[in-house]
Structure formats: C-alpha cells, structure tokens
Amino acid sequence: MSPPIIPDDELHVTYILASGPGGQNVNKVATAAQLRFDARNSPTLSGRIKHRLIDVAGSRMTGDGVIVLTARRFRSQIRNREDAVARLHDMIAQASAVQAYRVPTRPSRTQRRKRMDNKQHRSRVKQGRSGRYTD
C-alpha cells in the first residue's frame, strides 16, 4: 500500500529566521521553513495511519495533533520548504507501512535435546578442571 499524498492546502508553511552559516543574510532574511500539518483533522489520512503517526512523530506532534517540522538545513526558503515536505512524506510513509505479523515459534524436541546434551557436556568439562584429581 503506497502512502497517501498530502495536498498543499493542508500544509501551512511559515518562514522564520535561521541560525548558522550565511553571514549577514541570516539576520535579514527568514530562510528556515516551519511546516505545520494538522494530522488529527486531515481528511486524507485513514484512522490507522493517524494512530500510527502519533508514535512515529513523537515530540514533533503537539497535543492538538498538529505535526510541526522546522527545516533550516539549507540557505534558501524553497529548499528548506522542500526538505520539510519531504520529511513529512517520509514520516507518513513510515506510519502507513504495514508491520509483518510475527508467528510465535517453539524450539523442536531435537533442538531442546541438543541444548541439554551440550549443557551436560560443558558441565562435565568444567568439573574436570576442578582439583579433584591428584598428580
């Protein structure tokens, strides 16, 4: 199952001042992108994906169910916006992946027997190392 595509009208991007390299440009231009996505009220996502997205987003999700991502890796607004949107899509893809069902198994009778025989053998080897014998 492929992850759903989030339409742009559900994403709210604001630009804030970024720290880091960029010289005087950092103080003048708001290049960091802050993306907000209301996951709880999104009509695009299914209930299962919304539920899993809570675990995947972790501290990046507010109590109201809004995912807040801040991208400041690049020196341009456009690249930071693309980075934030890509990170959101990765998060949704991770939440929409279906986990494989684990079938619990038990060791076979032969495996249990081998394990017990090996334990007995190791025990005898260690008992043979003790000072019971005389020279």
Side-chain angles (χ1 to χ4, degrees), residues 17-18 22-30:
L17 291 176
Q24 200 63 41
N25 194 49
V26 171
N27 301 327
K28 296 186 299 184
V29 183

Side-chain angles (χ1 to χ4, degrees), residues 65-76:
V66 177
I67 297 175
V68 180
L69 297 174
T70 304
R72 56 171 51 106
R73 191 182 334 178
F74 302 104
R75 289 176 59 176
S76 71

Side-chain angles (χ1 to χ4, degrees), residues 77-93:
Q77 283 184 348
I78 297 167
R79 290 184 68 189
N80 280 329
R81 183 186 192 285
E82 291 170 354
D83 182 40
V85 171
R87 284 171 37 202
L88 177 67
H89 284 293
D90 290 344
M91 206 181 293
I92 292 171

